[in-house]
């Protein structure tokens, strides 16, 4: 059984060990994030402080050692465990923002490409408008809007409800929404163009003659044929969302209390001149490894799933 599984994996990856390493790395980060979320829930239920939040002032700024693999920070907290816990924030932002962007981009792309006419013009105008916005400034403005609670009562109540469901503070929730609302443009363009090409094929004409509704044609016949594009762009949006979260949290308008690589970099940068480098190194190292793995995996998925590359 193990040998057959190994043969299937080797046949699927075709000996591409870089892609296998990237997939393993991403899955490891996802499992760590899931474990961290479960552990945080357990700590909240038992009114206990998580291990990554426990600090002793007399142990501040300890360098890497067998006891503290990546040293300690200004509060005496273990940097390694904070970097591990920061994986949960990064993975949650990547998954949720990527899903929001994928749903918006796919649905609007299918509608615009299938119907054409005024609907197509409206979607093109919409994604052209979003493409003209500076993405980082939009995310910062949205994060400030949510963090400072400059919202009407019903909207604020909805945001608070979403935060409880997703176990996210306002700054993190703002990042989910802001990245998701700005990251769908490229996918929408690609899905729209592919849908315009596919809708003229004989099997779509046959579905129309058979009396199937447009919604059924779009989601049963067209969506499976553009789904490889959705997977590829979801992977790339995942990586982009992680970097955006780090930047926004570094600037102080994103994640505040939850562990975040951006917050770790912001906290550690002022002490670099004193030779205390391990907090910044840990956060950037974890981020580099995950983003690199996602980009390698995205390239492999593009080569593997694109019908033009199938021999």
């Amino acid at each position: 059984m193990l040998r057959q599984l190994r043969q299937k994996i080797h046949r699927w990856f075709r000996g591409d060990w870089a892609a296998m390493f990237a997939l393993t790395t991403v899955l490891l980060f996802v499992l760590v994030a899931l474990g961290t979320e479960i552990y945080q829930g357990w700590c909240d239920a038992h009114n206990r402080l998580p291990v990554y939040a426990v600090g002793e002032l007399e142990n501040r700024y300890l360098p890497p050692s067998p006891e503290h693999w990546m040293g300690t920070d200004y509060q005496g907290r273990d940097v390694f465990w904070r970097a591990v816990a920061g994986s949960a924030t990064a993975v949650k932002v990547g998954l949720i923002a990527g899903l929001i962007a994928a749903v918006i981009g796919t649905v609007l792309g299918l509608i615009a490409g299938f119907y054409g006419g005024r609907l197509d013009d409206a979607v093109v105008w919409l994604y052209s408008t979003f493409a003209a916005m500076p993405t980082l400034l939009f995310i910062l403005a949205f994060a400030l809007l949510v963090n400072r609670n400059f919202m009407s009562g019903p909207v604020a109540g909805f945001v608070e409800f979403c935060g409880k469901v997703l176990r996210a503070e306002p700054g993190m929730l703002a990042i989910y929404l802001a990245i998701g609302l700005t990251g769908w443009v490229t996918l929408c363009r690609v899905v729209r163009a592919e849908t315009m090409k596919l809708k003229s094929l004989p099997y779509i004409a046959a579905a129309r003659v058979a009396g199937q509704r447009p919604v059924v044609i779009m989601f049963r016949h067209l969506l499976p044929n553009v789904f490889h594009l959705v997977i590829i762009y979801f992977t790339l949006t995942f990586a982009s969302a992680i970097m955006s979260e780090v930047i926004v949290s570094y600037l102080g308008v994103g994640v505040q209390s939850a562990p975040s690589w951006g917050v770790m970099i912001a906290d550690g940068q002022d002490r670099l001149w004193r030779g205390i480098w391990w907090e910044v190194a840990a956060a950037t190292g974890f981020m580099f490894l995950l983003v690199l793995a996602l980009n390698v995996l995205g390239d492999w998925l593009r080569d593997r799933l694109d019908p033009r590359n199938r021999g």
Side-chain angles (χ1 to χ4, degrees):
M1 181 68 70
L2 184 61
R3 184 179 178 181
Q4 292 178 349
L5 179 61
R6 189 182 307 167
Q7 289 176 348
K8 287 182 180 179
I9 293 174
H10 186 272
R11 185 165 56 250
W12 176 253
F13 283 91
R14 296 177 180 175
D16 193 339
W17 299 108
M20 290 183 65
F21 175 77
L23 179 60
T24 303
T25 301
V26 172
L27 291 177
L28 180 61
F29 270 97
V30 171
L31 289 175
V32 168
L34 180 61
T36 302
E37 283 296 303
I38 295 173
Y39 173 66
Q40 287 178 343
W42 181 85
C43 289
D44 292 342
H46 292 80
N47 197 26
R48 295 187 61 176
L49 200 62
V51 64
Y52 55 79
V54 176
E56 298 176 352
L57 294 179
E58 61 270 20
N59 291 331
R60 293 185 302 169
Y61 307 133
L62 292 180
S65 65
E67 185 178 359
H68 301 285
W69 294 351
M70 294 183 177
T72 60
D73 64 4
Y74 70 102
Q75 294 184 17
R77 299 171 299 187
D78 191 283
V79 170
F80 172 76
W81 289 117
R82 288 195 65 77
V84 169
S87 303
T89 300
V91 170
K92 282 175 66 176
V93 169
L95 282 174
I96 297 175
L99 284 173
I100 293 173
V103 170
I104 295 175
T106 303
V107 171
L108 291 181
L110 285 172
I111 291 173
F114 183 78
Y115 286 104
R118 292 185 177 180
L119 274 175
D120 183 38
D121 293 340
V123 172
V124 170
W125 175 85
L126 186 63
Y127 72 57
S128 299
T129 303
F130 273 89
M133 295 179 182
T135 303
L136 182 58
L137 291 180
F138 181 86
I139 295 172
L140 289 172
F142 202 88
L144 285 171
L145 182 69
V146 175
N147 274 325
R148 301 297 184 269
N149 200 22
F150 296 138
M151 298 175 292
S152 61
V155 175
F158 177 73
V159 169
E160 183 179 356
F161 171 76
C162 291
K164 290 180 179 178
V165 171
L166 298 173
R167 292 176 50 82
E169 58 189 69
M172 190 186 297
L173 188 63
I175 294 174
Y176 295 159
L177 297 175
I179 297 175
L181 292 173
T182 57
W184 58 271
V185 172
T186 303
L187 177 60
C188 182
R189 285 172 170 167
V190 175
V191 170
R192 169 180 171 269
E194 193 70 14
T195 302
M196 292 176 70
K197 182 175 68 175
L198 292 173
K199 72 176 183 179
S200 60
L201 295 181
Y203 79 98
I204 298 298
R208 283 175 165 169
V209 171
Q212 292 190 0
R213 294 179 298 170
V215 175
V216 175
I217 294 175
M218 283 191 293
F219 289 97
R220 179 177 294 177
H221 301 293
L222 289 173
L223 181 59
N225 288 283
V226 299
F227 200 68
H228 66 284
L229 299 172
V230 179
I231 295 174
I232 294 167
Y233 279 91
F234 171 78
T235 305
L236 299 177
T237 304
F238 196 134
S240 176
I242 291 171
M243 291 188 290
S244 297
E245 183 274 322
V246 170
I247 293 172
V248 174
S249 296
Y250 169 80
L251 295 175
V253 294
V255 177
Q256 301 296 325
S257 59
S260 167
W261 296 333
V263 174
M264 291 178 64
I265 295 172
D267 289 342
Q269 67 170 355
D270 294 334
R271 287 172 285 277
L272 285 174
W273 65 275
R274 295 169 52 188
I276 303 173
W277 49 266
W278 42 87
E279 188 172 7
V280 174
T284 54
F286 272 71
M287 180 183 67
F288 172 79
L289 184 61
L290 179 55
V291 172
L292 176 64
L294 285 167
N295 280 302
V296 172
L297 185 61
D299 290 339
W300 177 80
L301 287 171
R302 180 194 60 201
D303 297 337
R304 182 69 175 167
L305 298 178
D306 193 337
R308 293 171 296 184
N309 295 331
R310 295 176 185 171

